[in-house]
Structure formats: structure tokens, C-alpha cells
Amino acid sequence: MDVKTVNRAASVSISLLIITLLISCLLPMGFSQQNGDLTIKCGAYDNPPKVYPDGSGGHTGFFPDILEVIAEKENWQIEYVFGNWTDCLDRLESGEIDIMVDVGYSEERAAIYDFNNETVFNNWGMVYRDPDVSIESITDLEGKRVGVMKGSVHTEGKEGIKALAKSFNINCTFMEVDSYEDVFKLIDAGLADAGVVNRLFGQMNDYKFNVKATNIFFDPSELRFGFPKNATLNAVLIEGIDRNLHEMKADQNSEYYTILNGYFGYPGQEGTAIPGWVLPAAAAAAATIGFLFILSAVFKWQVEKRTKELKTALEKREELERVINRSSSVAFLWRNEEGWPVEMVSDNIALFGYTPDELRSGELKFTEIVHPDDLARIGGEVEKYSKEGKKEFVQTYRILAKSGDVRWVEDHTFIRRDAKGKITHYQGIVTDITERKKAEEMSTELEAVKRLSELKTRFVSTATHELRTPVVSIKGYTDLMISGRVGEIPQKPKEMLGVISRNTDRLLHLVEDLLDVQRIESGRLKMEIVPMDLREVLKQCQRELKPLMDDRHHTFNVQIPDHSLQINGDFSRLNQVLSNMLMNSQKFAPEGGKVEVSVEEKPDSVRISVKDNGIGIRKEDIAKVFDLFSDIKKPGNIKGTGLGLSVAKGIVEGHGGKIEAFSEGEGKGATFTVILPKKK
């Protein structure tokens, strides 16, 4: 061996020794920093390769690895909280976790959560399809069943698949599940024609399922870290994450690009040159490590491939049934035979009180749980749609639950045919829509009541107008005869004419009240609101009602302040309100009773109270005194239409005020109060 060879061997040995020393020196440095006292709860779910469980209780993936690098630099401790996508978002919103990885940014979400400013990664939505279903563009989703992940930005966002379908007027059925994996399972089992996942999940997982990618890409999104809205730690966490992300993304040799390349195969730029004497040693080490890595990867790939091949159809079906059983829709598979025998039914048939075995065993036929009044109709529809060559159809009918309850369902049925076109099975997704039906029936009933109310309003309005004219005429001629201007009338007929006159007055008062009720209900009650002194109304009512009070020997006291009570109001309408209140008190107070009117002035309002010592009002009737034709207990000798106080309420509210009633009970009198705003 010559000197040159010896020197080269020595150089290699020294290089390996230096590398070993460097590694041994650097390794302790990674563990030399003390743990920080800031522990962060991080929400994580299963969405490889961005985030997924590592099998030992922790999490790995692109986002956790990036976060771990930042946490080490900032002395943070990460505590992962696992859940599905919806669980994590709920925990983030409630503040149960401090941070969540892999959250697509949108304006809608920014109103609910806080986000860091530096984008971690970009992604977008993709549509996958059943290989036997032709879908080339977004319009091909018409009439299809589309699996989507509940709450995903690619599902619910402004540019998500639902908004996209709506903008193209596409009518398709969205089937919501808890994860992208469940979306692929729906397609794989033939329960969905297509499904929406994000690009990365699709590229990393589509080989595991019988699915095929389409050319439909949409909704590009920025993936960031999410935080609870306005949480205390946000300022520290967001600043630390944004600063480290910015520095790492600016350096092509940083951990960011190493992790990116490891998961997605995106290489960074070449690093700076290293001394030539290190290359032989590095090459030897890299070759060894590379060989071992490739050997490990090949072995892992073979194991995973073999494991996948060993999965049975039963295992796949059981997993799919768990997805279905979490939903409110029951999956059926019927054979095309008499009675529609059930070959398969999901466990959530328990929603109707039955067990799967009762139907699968043939002990109970499906036709036996269909409401007998609907059976002939749906049988005829199935026969009609089958002959027409339809692939799917929708029916609405009733099912008899085991408890005896009748439940409405919507059945989305798909027809299976063999290679010769013969129908072998009917596959249905049966959803309970009882509550929706009740709401529709209630809406129909409300519409009927509304139409009836409108007819009643028109009838009463027409009848009262038609009635008013002859009553006014009778009143006029009766009063003319009583006055003697058409000749003297004997006393007895004159008294009878007086009875007619008084009753026409009552009838006219009733007609006017009915007309006012119609005007108030339709918002057409005319009032001339002008500045006025409320004392003038009090004085007028005192003059008009004193004779009636005297007839029954009532003590009638009206408090009228010395100073002006300025309000904005309609004199005649307010006179009508106060007269109604006083006439009520006059009727219900006993012979020789007491009726008092008091005024209380406040900075912004005037309160007028009418108090009597009459029969009072039961507590259960207080709330009904202002209702039309209210059924309130009163002596049989006291007559009334039940309209006056209702009209008074409408007039007072038209002035921007309110009217109230108060009584301590039967036999303890009553007080009616009107509150009106002062003139501003």
C-alpha cells in the first residue's frame, strides 16, 4: 500500500470521526434547553398527510411537525386533543383548545375564529367519482348523490361545492359524513355517485378505494392555524408562529422545506457548498442510510399493500354501516320479489322501533310496515318507474313504527339491474320527514285560517257599511217624529219611539266600533294628530258623562290640573277612549258607587286613570279585557259588545301610548290607565 492510499484512507477515517463528533455534540444541544412553562392544547384530527395519529398516542403529519419545530424554538409544550373535524371546530369555538392545525381560512370562519397571518400551505377541493359513473364537468352532478364532509370549507364555504352547485342551478343530493375517508367509503360502496375531498387527501388516499379523480377543481384555500376568537394566548401564539414561519419559508434549507419535501415531495433549492474532503464520507453514509430507508419503505409498502388485500368485503361493509348508522337516514336493499324482502338494512332502523334481524330474516316484510293506505300507490309508482327505465326515483309515504306511531318518510330509491337489464334489487335511503310534514301541514292550516280571516274581515266590513245606512235613516226619522216637527204624537207612541231611538243609538255605536276595529286591523284608522291640551278632553267627557253618572247616583270626581297638559293627539279619538273607560266604570259600579278620574304628570308622559268601586276583574281575565269579544265573567244584567276597550287600545297605541287594566279581584273595583307621550 503506497503513501497516497494510506493518506486517502486516513482522510476518510478522520472525516467519519469528525462527522461522528459533530453528531455527538449536536445531539445534546437538541435536549439542552429546559422545557418552557407554556403548555398548549392543540386540536388534531385524522387527515393524512397533513395531520394524523402516529399510533402511539401522539400526532404526526405536515402541520404537527411544523408546529413541533416552532414549539421547540419558543419553549412551548404541545398537548394534542384528538377528535373528528366537527369536534375540533366546536372545541376551538368554545375555547377548550388553544390552537387547531390545518384550518382553511375564509371570511366566514374569520368571524368565528382567529387565524395566524402567514399561510402554511395552499390546497383546493376536488371531485372524485364512482368509476362506473360518467362525470366530466360540474353540470354532470345533476341528479347525482354527492358525499361531502360536514363543516368543511370545500362544502359550506362561499366557493364550496354547495354554493357552486347552486350557482349552476344543479339539483343533486348532498350526503354529509364526518370525514373525507367516509366520503370515499360512500363512493366505494356505491351509495354515492361522487364525493368532494381536498386535493392532498385525494392524492394520498385514492388508491385505497374504488374511486376515480375528475377534472373538477374548485375553491383554492389557504391553510393556516386556527385559534379561539380573542383568546388571551392568541397574541403570543400568532406572533411566534408567524415569525418562525416567515423565517423558515425565506430559507430554502430550513426545516419547513425539509418537512414539506418529506410529506409531499417538494424539493427546496440546493444548499451552500461543503468542503470537498467531506463528500466521500457523506456519500458513503448517505448511500447506506438511503439503502436502509428504501429497504424499509419497500417493506412497509409491501406490508400495507398485503394488509389492504386481506381486508374482506364484510369488514368494509361494517365500516360503511357505522357511517350510515350515525345518520338519520336508513339504508335498505330490497330484492325484486313479491313483498320486497329486505336483504340488507342499516342498524338505525331502530329509529322506527324494529331490529335489522326482524326484516332480514323475512319474519317481517317491508310491505307490512308501510301504511296500508299508501301501499297500493307506492307499488304502482315502483312498477311505473321500473318500466320507464328510470335509474332512480323519490317517493313520499308513511311507515308504521313498532310503537304504532305513523311516521312520514322520503325514500330515495336506486334501481339495480344485471348485465341483461333485468332488475335484481332496489336500493333505498329512507329519511324520516315527519316533523317537516307537520310543519307543512301547519303552514297549510295557517294559510287556510289566514284566508278565512280575510274573508271574515271583508264580510264584516261590507256588512257594517251596508247596515250603517238604514240605521242612520231610522235614527233620523225617529228623532224627527219625537221632535214634533211632523205633527203631535200621543204620549204612548212617543215613548215607544224613544225606545227605538235609544236602541238605534246602541246599534250605531256598535256599527262604528266594528268599523273602527276593521280600520285598526288594516292600519287605516284615520287620526288627525295635532298639538292640543289634554285638559279639554277631560272637560268634555265630564260634561257628557255627568248626566249618566247622576242617573245612577254615582259620585263622579274628575281631577283637572290648573296648568296645560300639552300633547300631540286627535281630540275626538281621545274623547272616544276616555268616554269608553268612563261608561265601563259607570256600568260596573253599583248604584250610588264612586267613579274617579285622576291625572299624573311625568317628565315625558301624562297618565290618566279611571277608578271605580265596582264588581272588579278576576286575575285570570286581566289579560283578556282588551281582546275582541272577550269572554269575561260579568253580571247578566250588564250588556256590552266587548268592542269598546279593544278600539280604545288601538287608538291609544296609534298615539304612541299604552293602556292598562288593574284589579285586586272580584268585588274590589278596577282601574284603567292611559299613558300618552308629551308633546316634544
Side-chain angles (χ1 to χ4, degrees):
M1 184 181 296
D2 59 15
V3 174
K4 202 172 192 181
T5 302
V6 171
N7 287 341
R8 187 179 296 111
S11 176
V12 171
S13 299
I14 292 169
S15 300
L16 290 172
L17 179 61
I18 290 171
I19 291 171
T20 304
L21 288 172
L22 283 171
I23 292 172
S24 64
C25 291
L26 288 172
L27 280 174
M29 290 174 63
F31 302 95
S32 64
Q33 297 181 7
Q34 296 181 354
N35 291 336
D37 56 2
L38 181 59
T39 300
I40 301 166
K41 290 187 177 181
C42 177
Y45 62 108
D46 191 6
N47 188 14
K50 294 184 291 179
V51 53
Y52 56 95
D54 61 7
S56 60
H59 274 74
T60 188
F62 176 69
F63 269 86
D65 287 5
I66 291 290
L67 184 59
E68 292 288 351
V69 170
I70 296 173
E72 183 177 356
K73 293 179 180 180
E74 298 294 322
N75 286 334
W76 299 338
Q77 300 299 311
I78 307 298
E79 178 183 317
Y80 289 101
V81 180
F82 181 72
N84 61 38
W85 169 253
T86 306
D87 292 338
C88 289
L89 286 181
D90 290 343
R91 289 169 182 159
L92 189 66
E93 185 173 0
S94 67
E96 292 180 47
I97 55 176
D98 304 305
I99 187 172
M100 180 173 168
V101 301
D102 186 24
V103 185
Y105 176 84
S106 70
E107 291 181 2
E108 294 85 359
R109 284 183 178 168
I112 305 172
Y113 320 107
D114 285 340
F115 288 85
N116 67 302
N117 300 300
E118 191 77 28
T119 299
V120 184
F121 198 74
N122 289 304
N123 205 3
W124 52 80
M126 280 186 68
V127 176
Y128 279 77
R129 64 178 175 87
D130 184 322
D132 295 330
V133 178
S134 176
I135 298 175
E136 300 298 331
S137 67
I138 188 69
T139 55
D140 291 334
L141 294 180
E142 177 68 34
K144 300 295 191 294
R145 301 162 295 167
V146 182
V148 294
M149 186 171 89
K150 189 179 353 179
S152 167
V153 70
H154 299 313
T155 301
E156 306 291 350
K158 276 188 177 179
E159 299 178 9
I161 191 66
K162 288 186 177 180
L164 193 62
K166 185 176 181 181
S167 68
F168 281 90
N169 292 320
I170 295 170
N171 183 23
C172 54
T173 302
F174 290 108
M175 306 172 69
E176 294 189 346
V177 290
D178 289 331
S179 68
Y180 287 138
E181 185 176 2
D182 288 344
V183 171
F184 273 176
K185 287 177 181 177
L186 287 175
I187 302 173
D188 191 68
L191 292 179
D193 303 303
V196 172
V197 299
N198 69 51
R199 168 183 61 104
L200 292 177
F201 180 86
Q203 290 176 349
M204 300 297 290
N205 296 278
D206 58 4
Y207 73 94
K208 301 176 185 177
F209 302 89
N210 186 30
V211 298
K212 189 169 183 179
T214 71
N215 293 321
I216 304 173
F217 301 88
F218 64 97
D219 191 24
S221 61
E222 298 179 358
L223 302 182
R224 305 185 190 180
F225 292 98
F227 307 85
K229 196 69 177 176
N230 301 321
T232 307
L233 286 178
N234 286 5
V236 174
L237 298 179
I238 291 174
E239 189 280 329
I241 288 173
D242 280 342
R243 172 168 39 81
N244 281 283
L245 274 175
H246 183 75
E247 291 172 358
M248 287 193 291
K249 288 167 73 175
D251 179 6
Q252 292 290 333
N253 296 311
S254 69
E255 298 96 327
Y256 176 88
Y257 291 101
T258 301
I259 295 169
L260 188 70
N261 184 42
Y263 283 103
F264 306 119
Y266 296 156
Q269 294 178 352
E270 292 182 359
T272 55
I274 59 174
W277 60 270
V278 178
L279 290 176
T288 302
I289 293 170
F291 173 74
L292 292 173
F293 177 80
I294 292 170
L295 186 63
S296 173
V298 170
F299 180 72
K300 182 180 179 182
W301 175 77
Q302 288 177 335
V303 170
E304 287 181 350
K305 183 173 181 294
R306 183 58 180 164
T307 301
K308 180 177 181 296
E309 290 172 352
L310 292 174
K311 286 184 178 179
T312 64
L314 179 61
E315 289 171 340
K316 184 181 290 186
R317 176 171 164 176
E318 287 175 350
E319 287 192 26
L320 180 62
E321 285 180 350
R322 283 196 289 273
V323 174
I324 296 170
N325 289 331
R326 289 197 296 266
S327 74
S328 59
S329 298
V330 182
F332 277 95
L333 184 65
W334 301 284
R335 290 195 300 276
N336 183 24
E337 299 173 11
E338 185 179 352
W340 301 330
V342 175
E343 190 168 298
M344 189 280 288
V345 61
S346 54
D347 290 343
N348 58 349
I349 186 64
L351 292 170
F352 301 109
Y354 301 106
T355 66
D357 286 342
E358 286 178 292
L359 289 155
R360 285 197 296 252
S361 66
E363 174 188 342
L364 184 67
K365 291 185 178 180
F366 184 76
T367 50
E368 294 174 13
I369 70 172
V370 175
H371 195 288
D373 292 347
D374 295 341
L375 189 57
R377 173 178 60 83
I378 67 171
E381 290 174 353
V382 170
E383 184 177 358
K384 174 178 176 289
Y385 296 141
S386 300
K387 287 181 177 178
E388 289 176 353
K390 288 186 178 291
K391 294 181 179 179
E392 59 185 271
F393 54 87
V394 178
Q395 293 177 291
T396 301
Y397 53 88
R398 289 166 291 178
I399 277 182
L400 300 175
K402 199 167 190 176
S403 64
D405 292 343
V406 176
R407 311 293 295 178
W408 278 97
V409 297
E410 183 176 82
D411 183 352
H412 198 147
T413 301
F414 306 89
I415 301 176
R416 284 190 182 181
R417 292 179 169 85
D418 60 19
K420 296 180 180 179
K422 181 182 177 182
I423 296 175
T424 60
H425 293 83
Y426 294 96
Q427 178 181 312
I429 299 173
V430 177
T431 305
D432 190 333
I433 60 167
T434 304
E435 296 307 316
R436 190 179 84 191
K437 271 287 184 181
K438 287 180 180 178
E440 290 172 355
E441 289 171 1
M442 187 176 294
S443 176
T444 302
E445 289 175 5
L446 286 174
E447 283 297 320
V449 170
K450 184 180 177 183
R451 287 195 298 271
L452 195 61
S453 177
E454 289 172 352
L455 287 172
K456 180 267 297 179
T457 299
R458 287 201 296 269
F459 171 76
V460 172
S461 178
T462 302
T464 48
H465 276 95
E466 292 297 324
L467 185 61
R468 189 175 187 277
T469 301
V471 171
V472 170
S473 179
I474 292 169
K475 168 69 175 170
Y477 281 112
T478 301
D479 289 347
L480 184 63
M481 293 171 68
I482 292 172
S483 69
R485 282 182 285 176
V486 293
E488 286 297 323
I489 298 175
Q491 185 60 32
K492 191 67 176 176
K494 192 172 185 179
E495 290 174 358
M496 295 173 68
L497 288 170
V499 173
I500 294 173
S501 179
R502 287 192 297 274
N503 279 286
T504 52
D505 283 338
R506 288 180 58 198
L507 193 54
L508 275 174
H509 185 69
L510 172 61
V511 169
E512 289 300 330
D513 280 349
L514 282 170
L515 288 171
D516 281 343
V517 166
Q518 299 306 313
R519 292 169 187 140
I520 290 168
E521 286 183 346
S522 63
R524 293 185 290 107
L525 182 67
K526 292 182 180 179
M527 291 190 290
E528 296 181 9
I529 307 293
V530 296
M532 59 170 286
D533 185 349
L534 191 56
R535 293 182 304 168
E536 298 305 317
V537 175
L538 294 168
K539 292 174 183 177
Q540 172 114 344
C541 287
Q542 184 181 32
R543 287 192 297 270
E544 291 176 350
L545 273 296
K546 191 173 187 311
L548 287 174
M549 299 293 181
D550 290 343
D551 283 347
R552 301 200 64 207
H553 308 291
H554 290 329
T555 300
F556 183 35
N557 294 322
V558 181
Q559 173 199 337
I560 301 178
D562 295 332
H563 59 279
S564 175
L565 297 174
Q566 288 296 314
I567 66 166
N568 289 322
D570 183 314
F571 182 92
S572 64
R573 289 297 186 183
L574 291 177
N575 183 75
Q576 182 181 351
V577 170
L578 193 54
S579 294
N580 263 321
M581 293 163 63
L582 287 169
M583 289 176 71
N584 267 342
S585 292
Q586 180 265 342
K587 283 192 297 185
F588 292 113
E591 186 84 15
K594 185 185 292 185
V595 178
E596 296 177 345
V597 180
S598 61
V599 178
E600 182 183 358
E601 190 174 7
K602 298 206 172 206
D604 57 354
S605 64
V606 178
R607 178 188 294 260
I608 302 173
S609 297
V610 176
K611 182 178 181 182
D612 63 62
N613 63 341
I615 64 172
I617 307 170
R618 296 182 301 176
K619 288 184 179 179
E620 59 266 32
D621 289 335
I622 286 287
K624 300 188 291 185
V625 294
F626 298 107
D627 293 347
L628 283 173
F629 309 110
S630 53
D631 181 22
I632 295 176
K633 182 181 177 183
K634 58 188 176 183
N637 63 322
I638 296 178
K639 306 298 182 184
T641 63
L643 294 173
L645 287 176
S646 178
V647 172
K649 181 175 183 286
I651 293 171
V652 171
E653 289 177 350
H655 281 76
K658 63 180 180 178
I659 185 169
E660 301 171 334
F662 174 79
S663 176
E664 293 184 355
E666 290 185 271
K668 296 183 179 180
T671 301
F672 286 83
T673 300
V674 170
I675 303 169
L676 296 168
K678 277 186 174 181
K679 176 184 175 184
K680 294 182 180 179

